[in-house]
Amino acid sequence: MENKLKEPFMPPIDRVDGKLKVTGAAKYSAEYNIPQMAYGVMVGSSIAKGIILSMDTKAAENAPGVLGVITPFNIEKPAGYNIETSGNISATKKGFNVFDDKLIRFSGQPIAIVMADSYERALHAATLIKVNYKKDSFQTNLEKAIPVVKPLEGNAFKDYTRGDVNAWKTAPVKIEAEYNIPIEVHNPMELHAITVHWETPDKVLVYEKTQSLMDTQEKIMELFGLKKENVHIITKFIGGAFGSAFNVWPHAVAALIGAKQINKPLKVVLSRDQMFMNVGYRPQSIQKISIGAQPDGKITGINHEAISMTASYQEFTEGIVNVSRMLYDIPNVFTRYKIYPMDLSLPTWMRGPGETTGAYALECAIDELAHALKMDPLKLRLLNYSDTDLEKQRPYSSKYLKEAFEIGSEKIGWNDRHPEPRSMPEGDWLAGYGMGSGVFIGWRGGAQVGARFTADGKLLLQSAVTDMGPGTATAMTKLAAETFGISPDKIVFEMGDSSLPPGIMQGGSGTTSSLGTTVNNATLSLKKKLFELVKNKAVFHTETIHDVKFEDVVFENGQMMLSSDHTRKMSYSDILESAGLDNIEFIEETKGFNNVDYSTYAYAAHFVKVLVHPATGVIKMEKIVSAVDGGTIVNDKTARSQIIGGVVGGIGMALMEEGVVDNRYGRWVNNNFADYHVPVNADVPHIEALFVNKPDPILNPMGSKGIGEVAMVGFAAAVANAVFHATGKRIRALPITPDKII
Ligand code: MOS
């Protein structure tokens, strides 16, 4: 591929939107105010399952400032609710349309939206609604559901077998263990919020927190039977999402319906407690892993079985067991994945969905095996390193996990680790070193980017994508500057608006790969267009070059010049001027890429040092080194920030995060930041994020692989393994809280 990033790379750049963010000038979806705007408050069910018999909304309707109350009893259903789904669609695939019927599927299910002229008045009126329910029995306890509830069936739940499923059992050294991860909740800083403005009855402007402008637009088009150009979505900034902002969630649909019904602009912001049951979560999981090995450490077989949950009304699956099929060179593999429908709200993708869950169990089990073998865990991993993808029977497009192991282990001082658990006291504390590896698929989808280069030397790039924090506009600016040969401050990357050329969702660690390819191709097109304008000019013709080819020129510092003679050059502005043009404008489009000859994965090698206080069970993260193979790193500064963010999520997963549901009521217990703990500054040590930074030759012209998710995959295992090394205590149920240590 042409237009490759060349060493030496341009130095990393600061966040292009950094100032806007830290000064409060960046506008989030709840911060748009429209004249005459009303405020909506969602009312949730107080029972977990049953039927609403009646609702008394009179007091709410008559409360001061109230403009309307919508419930299942008075909703004007959007056209999309009535689209017939095929008769044999299973209950768990039907989904849930807000206010569509009187069934209650989970505690906190939205049953009304109250709209008023102020937020406070809406909030007050919402407390005045009285509901009569007929309660049904329900199940929110996964352990109790397993023997009595039928797991879902279908292709996603077929067992995977490679070789002999019993190989692990007959091995001379084996381990068997069960790992538990509770529900975890994304809890981004920014609350989910939507501001809706119906400009005409069939034209709507929506400010919505979304990771996918295009999918949100399409969903709203379908729901209300609207034309594409009449559904305008704006998401200029996102204050974190981690996967919670793909779906058009019930509160957003309620806001769209409500604004239409009261014929006023309407803003709905979920409260923190509502965030726990209305915008997804990482489902609870129970995983069993069995591994068998030869005394020399060669693994002969692995079984990995995972049980997890979804909502009774909609299927959600993720690849929990997939890591065990490909991370190691194991001839005999069996995996099984079952999910149970529960009377809870819908889970969804959360950073490293599937892999984060699966790698926790796998990477703990590998550590347990290392201990059983009396072998260094890093050595064991190297001994069973896979050089090809045994599951898909094909080579990797690139794999530099070994290199990540090397730089990571060196930086943390792995060689000074005494292998015996509890062998490294430091004063009153027990020190422990642990490691875990992470893997996440690399891919690339199609995207369009609008490009306009003007005679004043500025480049405007536009695409309908959003940025939940990684710094997409920054990476794209850096990439365009580097490949087009102009300074980054001459470039504006505009995004966050569905009316721009259709981009790609932000998720699956695929934005930079997908969008970057299109940006890369756009600058290449631009260079070719400039070349065509002036290739016949005398300045580019020498005694030896009469017919100058594109390959004969380079583009640097805003100038096109002959490779062989840099004095023969023209500035980009002069090229436009000489052609009598004010600008060059076009839309670049690239299709998705599905290479069937190679498997592409990004890798992480996480190394941690913990200090455990044996008397109180307090765990301090002392040192963290995460070394990542993410291919070529497009912008080092924002990329490191991605790794740091993923690691902080991993600290939460390992030590703090646990969604608690009271199974007597099917209701959340700790749906607030006082009781649901996430890491704060004091919990987070200096995090060393290192990159192998070698290009992947296949996936995209930058040579990059996604890094957003792999940053978190395998990290919690590193912590659990370090705690074992420190204390000799193997804690398999997350989070590892002090009570489990003492
Ligand atoms: Mo990510 S779970 O694709 O936001």
Side-chain angles (χ1 to χ4, degrees), residues 211 242-244 246 349-353 468 506-509 709:
Q211 290 172 243
F242 317 113
S244 66
F246 287 115
W349 301 282
M350 183 164 149
R351 205 164 191 171
M468 63 175 151
Q506 177 151 79
S509 300
E709 331 237 6

Side-chain angles (χ1 to χ4, degrees), residues 395-408:
Y396 297 118
S397 59
S398 67
K399 179 176 181 179
Y400 297 112
L401 178 58
K402 232 175 234 174
E403 287 77 355
F405 283 151
E406 256 165 47
I407 57 176

Side-chain angles (χ1 to χ4, degrees), residues 324-343:
S324 291
R325 301 176 192 161
M326 52 69 62
L327 188 54
Y328 295 102
D329 181 44
I330 307 177
N332 303 296
V333 179
F334 174 79
T335 68
R336 170 172 286 173
Y337 169 56
K338 295 279 173 225
I339 62 171
Y340 290 81
M342 311 284 295
D343 298 312

